[in-house]
Amino acid sequence: MAPQYCTVKGCFKRTGTDTELSFFRFPKDPARSAIWVKNCGRDDLMKSTPANLHSAYVVCNLHFEKDMFSSLLMNRLKKNSVPTLFDS
């Protein structure tokens, strides 16, 4: 599988290279998926289907608050987690 870059605008972390990070697929739920796209600053993806976003895009764990994880390893998200942490 080819490496994927984090979808967040301005983040260049990628799977395969940044092995200390976890990467999460977009949710399949249309409402939550739209929130992820908006929060990631990627208006260019607004017309993508949730299924396409889920299969083709990821967000690294750096963009989620600690209380959004269901494990101490920060490799599993709680059901309603959304990316909210971004460099200014």
Side-chain angles (χ1 to χ4, degrees):
M1 184 174 183
Q4 292 178 290
Y5 284 92
C6 179
T7 305
V8 173
K9 188 174 184 176
C11 184
F12 299 102
K13 302 296 184 187
R14 69 179 185 162
T15 62
T17 301
D18 296 297
T19 56
E20 73 282 1
L21 300 178
S22 296
F23 291 83
F24 303 97
R25 294 184 178 280
F26 273 65
K28 292 180 181 177
D29 175 66
R32 285 189 52 235
S33 184
I35 293 169
W36 280 43
V37 170
K38 180 182 177 196
N39 286 7
C40 288
R42 295 290 306 273
D43 292 339
D44 59 310
L45 299 178
M46 289 301 283
K47 292 185 180 181
S48 295
T49 66
N52 181 52
L53 291 167
H54 179 78
S55 67
Y57 296 93
V58 295
V59 175
C60 72
N61 67 310
L62 298 176
H63 305 292
F64 296 91
E65 296 178 35
K66 289 187 191 243
D67 65 347
M68 293 185 186
F69 294 96
S70 62
S71 73
L72 294 175
L73 296 175
M74 296 173 52
N75 62 355
R76 295 198 185 273
L77 291 173
K78 293 179 181 176
K79 183 179 178 181
N80 293 318
S81 297
V82 294
T84 57
L85 300 177
F86 310 99
D87 290 335
S88 53

